[in-house]
């Protein structure tokens, strides 16, 4: 049903700094329309993958999923319906804004908005990174998101039992994080529980080599961008990465060498008591969670 993470949209009062942060530090391509109050970013052949819309607060506005084709679209609608969740069909103007012809949306138990579409077109021109960065996307999607949710069990059950995601593993090292995949990428979604709140902890962008990671690390340090975690390596997805704070309060994990899962094997989910094999040290004054929205009690 759900094939991969297609695109992500956030809102932010600080849109302007994204032009420089995205292109000069991360090596994304800025394809913003100057008549629109948003930053749109490319990382591969897709017309755009990340949109930052002007808004009053920093918030994760929508998570776009590729469902493959009309059959996949209908299958998601059907399982959602069986579980009492409405799949809304978006108007054609909104579908066009997301660069797709058919767009559906629903909310997960934490209240995050998810959108489904298929056959999103590729751009007319090749992807160009001013920093020479090559991102690892394709069938495994944009990257991964780690989300903070009020009730991890409810959200896990929804993605694993309703939407067909598979449990990769859990890390319990201070916080408890649950990782899940929908294609060979070790995880496309992970969740950690923050009672009464929801938000995005980080978005991971994967690149082709550890040197590409190191060069971006150097650019972020030289530009004195707030580093949320130094260079390090995770034991579960084996990603070598660093975490830099984005202008909108959440972190960007920039990494390479992520593990691929065998989609045929029914391996039991692993359990790790360490978040990192080495590195990933926080700054002396740890950054406060920057994209955390208080949800009024249900
Ligand atoms: Fe991550």
């Amino acid at each position: 049903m759900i094939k991969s993470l297609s695109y992500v949209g956030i809102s932010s009062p600080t849109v302007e700094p994204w032009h420089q942060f995205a292109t000069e530090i991360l090596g994304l391509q800025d394809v913003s329309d100057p008549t629109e109050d948003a930053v749109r970013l490319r990382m591969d052949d897709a017309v755009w993958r990340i949109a930052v819309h002007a808004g009053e607060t920093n918030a994760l506005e929508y998570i776009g999923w590729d469902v493959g084709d009309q059959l996949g679209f209908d299958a998601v609608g059907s399982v959602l319906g069986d579980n009492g969740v409405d799949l809304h069909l978006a108007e054609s103007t909104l579908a066009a804004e997301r660069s797709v012809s058919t767009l559906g949306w629903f909310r997960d138990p934490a209240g995050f908005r998810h959108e489904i579409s298929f056959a999103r077109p590729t751009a007319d021109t090749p992807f160009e990174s001013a920093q020479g960065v090559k991102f690892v996307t394709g069938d495994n999607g944009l990257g991964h998101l780690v989300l903070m949710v009020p009730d991890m069990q409810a959200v896990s059950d929804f993605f694993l039992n309703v939407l067909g995601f598979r449990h990769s593993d859990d890390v319990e090292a201070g916080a408890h994080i649950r990782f899940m995949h929908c294609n060979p990428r070790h995880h496309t979604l992970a969740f950690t529980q923050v009672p009464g709140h929801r938000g995005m902890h980080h978005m991971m962008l994967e690149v082709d080599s550890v040197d590409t990671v190191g060069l971006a690390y150097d650019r972020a340090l030289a530009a004195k961008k707030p580093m949320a975690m130094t260079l390090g390596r995770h034991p579960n997805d084996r990603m070598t990465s660093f975490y830099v704070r984005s202008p909108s309060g959440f972190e960007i994990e920039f990494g390479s060498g992520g593990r691929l899962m065998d989609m045929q094997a029914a391996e039991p989910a692993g359990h790790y008591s360490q978040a990192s094999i080495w590195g990933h040290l926080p700054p002396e004054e740890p950054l406060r969670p920057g994209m955390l929205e208080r949800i009024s009690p249900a």
Side-chain angles (χ1 to χ4, degrees), residues 6 47 65-70 98-102 116-122:
S6 179
V47 280
W65 298 101
D66 180 9
V67 293
D69 53 22
Q70 184 71 52
R98 303 288 198 264
S99 311
V100 297
S101 52
T102 305
I116 59 169
S117 63
F118 53 91
R120 201 157 177 256
T122 54

Side-chain angles (χ1 to χ4, degrees), residues 90-132:
E91 288 183 14
S92 58
T93 46
L94 184 62
E97 196 270 324
R98 303 288 198 264
S99 311
V100 297
S101 52
T102 305
L103 184 76
W105 66 272
F106 60 93
R107 289 199 187 271
D108 71 21
F112 288 117
R113 177 186 169 109
H114 299 266
E115 301 183 350
I116 59 169
S117 63
F118 53 91
R120 201 157 177 256
T122 54
D124 296 333
T125 54
F127 168 66
E128 280 182 45
S129 167
Q131 310 303 331

Side-chain angles (χ1 to χ4, degrees), residues 18 21 26 203 205 242-244 246 250-254:
W18 272 95
F21 177 74
L26 304 179
M203 181 191 310
L205 308 179
F242 69 92
Y243 291 68
V244 61
S246 75
F250 64 93
E251 330 303 358
I252 294 286
E253 180 184 9
F254 198 92

Side-chain angles (χ1 to χ4, degrees), residues 20-160:
Q20 184 262 350
F21 177 74
T23 57
E24 293 177 23
I25 307 297
L26 304 179
L28 296 163
Q29 184 180 0
D30 191 342
V31 289
S32 308
D33 174 349
T35 65
E36 188 191 29
D37 211 1
V39 175
R40 284 183 198 270
L41 301 165
R42 275 183 70 183
M43 59 192 298
D44 58 12
D45 286 347
V47 280
W48 56 269
R49 289 273 200 179
I50 300 166
V52 185
H53 302 272
E56 287 182 7
T57 56
N58 288 316
L60 176 56
E61 293 292 336
Y62 51 87
I63 303 170
W65 298 101
D66 180 9
V67 293
D69 53 22
Q70 184 71 52
L71 283 175
F73 190 94
D74 295 342
V76 172
S78 171
V79 294
L80 289 174
D82 290 347
N83 287 275
V85 178
D86 291 331
L87 178 67
H88 307 272
L89 203 57
E91 288 183 14
S92 58
T93 46
L94 184 62
E97 196 270 324
R98 303 288 198 264
S99 311
V100 297
S101 52
T102 305
L103 184 76
W105 66 272
F106 60 93
R107 289 199 187 271
D108 71 21
F112 288 117
R113 177 186 169 109
H114 299 266
E115 301 183 350
I116 59 169
S117 63
F118 53 91
R120 201 157 177 256
T122 54
D124 296 333
T125 54
F127 168 66
E128 280 182 45
S129 167
Q131 310 303 331
V133 174
K134 189 171 183 299
F135 291 93
V136 176
T137 56
D139 290 345
N140 294 340
L142 183 162
H144 71 229
L145 306 177
V146 176
L147 305 179
M148 298 173 283
V149 295
D151 179 349
M152 188 161 77
Q153 194 62 48
V155 175
S156 301
D157 287 348
F158 181 71
F159 283 93
L160 297 174

